[in-house]
Amino acid sequence: MQTNHRRHPAPSAYASGAWYRPMLARRADEEHRTASALELLFDLCFVAAVSQASSALEHEIAAGRSLDGLLGYALLFFAIWWAWMNFTWFASAYDTDDVPYRLTTFVQITGALGMAAGAADAVGHGDFTLITWSYVVMRLAMVTQWLRAAWTDRERRRSAWRYASGILVLQVGWLVRLTLPHDGGLVSFAVLAACELAVPVWAERAEGTTWHPHHIAERYGLFTLIVLGESVTAAGLAVRSALDTGEALGSVLTVALGGILTVFALWWLYFAQDAPRRLRTQATAMLWGYGHYVVFAAAAAVGAALAVNVAHATHHAGLSDVQAAATYTVPVALFIVCVWLLHRRGARLPLKADVLSPVAACAVLATTFTTFAVPATGIIATLLIGAHLVAARRDAVAP
């Protein structure tokens, strides 16, 4: 982790919205560093895109087009996650909260709303035109931010230039991709996405940027919280619709209860970790950031899956029991395993405690072949939390 030794205003001074400040790197050990009101607005607008992506996935699965829907969802979610993540890490290092910074962030928020508008066409019809243009708008705004940083932060100018130039070149590639035949779309997406992932690795090999471990952990935690909340909202709307029709009330309420137990357990599992303690090196930071693609995508998919299973319970989804169950058990298992992998590095847990999460994930997957997958998943996730609490208590009282 890089440390910035230049003088900075007091943390509270960043909240005043001055007309202009030199974009110098903020200290990585700054006290009382929390998410700003602008960052919270940014997250809420991005969650609108997540919500629309989840809704489009639900529609495709319920219509029997699961594979196409999942592919479109995965591609769309990459664009949402990557744009959000790049802003988050940049803001941790260079949030000046002056007028140019705020206006540039508003441009990125506008791009996120464009993504929300184009989510249904992307997931349902493979039409990424609006998504691509919205993404490019957001990324060009990031180029502007990095150029500001390169102009005023001489200590990290090479890193800032690498970020700006790498992002700019790739945006040309994304626009060129729109002109390619449909058959080349997936290959070109994979190539461009891999290059996007490589830009931070290349840029940070220069001077590196300053990022605040507690600030980063809080930002990721808040976004996870909001996405899980969207899952609850999506499930609530599906249950409300089922209750209005009066069909299969017992089955619907059982699915709803299982979903509530699952979401509560996933929240507990995620926030039981000491994330800032893990974020000590650039390598762990990269793994943390990139690994959250699965965490965020799986959390959002849980909401879509709950809605699908409510529709299945009321015989409004053209899926078999196993197919409906798999839409729910797979994202839950992915969430559990990914959180376990992100936090186990350096945790030095006893073997019995370390295997709890993978065993629970396997048990969740096994419920796919039952007729009560959603409530069983909720019970297993709840038992996982209980087992972790018992293991933690035993460690606390051990001599």
Side-chain angles (χ1 to χ4, degrees):
M1 183 194 305
Q2 299 293 322
T3 303
N4 183 39
H5 297 292
R6 292 190 181 187
R7 291 189 62 189
H8 290 267
S12 60
Y14 283 102
S16 62
W19 278 99
Y20 174 79
R21 292 191 184 93
M23 189 168 272
L24 303 176
R26 297 182 68 159
R27 289 183 8 234
D29 59 350
E30 183 179 319
E31 295 182 357
H32 310 296
R33 182 73 192 277
T34 59
S36 67
L38 182 60
E39 288 174 320
L40 296 178
L41 175 63
F42 188 88
D43 288 357
L44 288 173
C45 293
F46 259 75
V47 169
V50 172
S51 177
Q52 291 302 309
S54 177
S55 177
L57 175 62
E58 173 202 338
H59 182 270
E60 293 302 301
I61 292 176
R65 298 186 292 269
S66 299
L67 292 179
D68 290 341
L70 286 170
L71 177 60
Y73 175 76
L75 301 184
L76 171 59
F77 209 93
F78 174 85
I80 297 170
W81 160 76
W82 191 243
W84 178 89
M85 194 177 87
N86 276 248
F87 169 80
T88 296
W89 288 83
F90 177 88
S92 190
Y94 288 108
D95 182 3
T96 57
D97 197 38
D98 58 5
V99 171
Y101 179 87
R102 289 184 175 187
L103 293 177
T104 308
T105 302
F106 290 157
V107 172
Q108 293 176 267
I109 290 174
T110 303
L113 297 178
M115 279 193 174
D121 287 337
V123 177
H125 307 291
D127 183 359
F128 279 80
T129 303
L130 181 55
I131 297 297
T132 300
W133 280 103
S134 300
Y135 179 80
V136 169
V137 166
M138 288 189 288
R139 302 297 278 147
L140 291 180
M142 281 306 308
V143 171
T144 303
Q145 299 280 42
W146 281 114
L147 289 175
R148 281 193 66 192
W151 179 259
T152 56
D153 187 7
R154 296 182 180 179
E155 294 180 29
R156 296 163 186 83
R157 180 164 292 174
R158 283 199 306 157
S159 286
W161 273 115
R162 288 187 179 188
Y163 272 111
S165 59
I167 294 171
L168 181 60
V169 169
L170 286 171
Q171 300 326 294
V172 176
W174 287 114
L175 293 178
V176 170
R177 179 180 175 274
L178 292 177
T179 67
L180 298 178
H182 181 71
D183 292 342
L186 187 58
V187 174
S188 60
F189 188 100
V191 171
L192 288 167
C195 291
E196 289 272 15
L197 294 173
V199 168
V201 178
W202 172 56
E204 293 293 335
R205 285 180 178 175
E207 296 85 0
T209 57
T210 62
W211 42 268
H212 197 289
H214 288 273
H215 178 246
I216 288 294
E218 182 189 25
R219 295 286 287 112
Y220 274 77
L222 289 171
F223 200 71
T224 302
L225 187 66
I226 297 173
V227 172
L228 286 173
E230 282 296 319
S231 295
V232 174
T233 301
L237 291 174
V239 171
R240 179 70 265 171
S241 177
L243 292 176
D244 288 341
T245 63
E247 299 181 47
L249 292 182
S251 297
V252 169
L253 293 177
T254 300
V255 169
L257 179 59
I260 290 172
L261 288 175
T262 302
V263 171
F264 288 171
L266 296 185
W267 171 86
W268 197 306
L269 183 68
Y270 185 91
F271 288 98
Q273 313 295 334
D274 183 9
R277 188 164 61 88
R278 305 280 190 268
L279 299 174
R280 295 302 183 190
T281 67
Q282 195 66 49
T284 56
M286 289 288 183
L287 290 173
W288 171 269
Y290 289 8
H292 270 75
Y293 168 77
V294 178
V295 174
F296 292 157
V302 167
L306 275 171
V308 167
N309 276 270
V310 170
H312 179 70
T314 56
H315 310 291
H316 291 120
L319 301 172
S320 67
D321 290 345
V322 172
Q323 289 173 329
T327 64
Y328 188 75
T329 58
V330 172
V332 172
L334 285 174
F335 186 99
I336 292 172
V337 169
C338 193
V339 170
W340 169 68
L341 290 173
L342 288 176
H343 289 284
R344 75 186 298 261
R345 184 184 179 92
R348 299 177 181 177
L349 295 172
L351 179 60
K352 291 182 178 180
D354 194 36
V355 300
L356 287 174
S357 290
V359 168
C362 291
V364 167
L365 292 175
T367 67
T368 303
F369 305 98
T370 69
T371 58
F372 45 86
V374 176
T377 295
I379 293 171
I380 292 170
T382 303
L383 291 174
L384 172 62
I385 301 304
H388 275 298
L389 292 174
V390 171
R393 182 173 177 81
R394 286 180 177 176
D395 290 343
V397 299

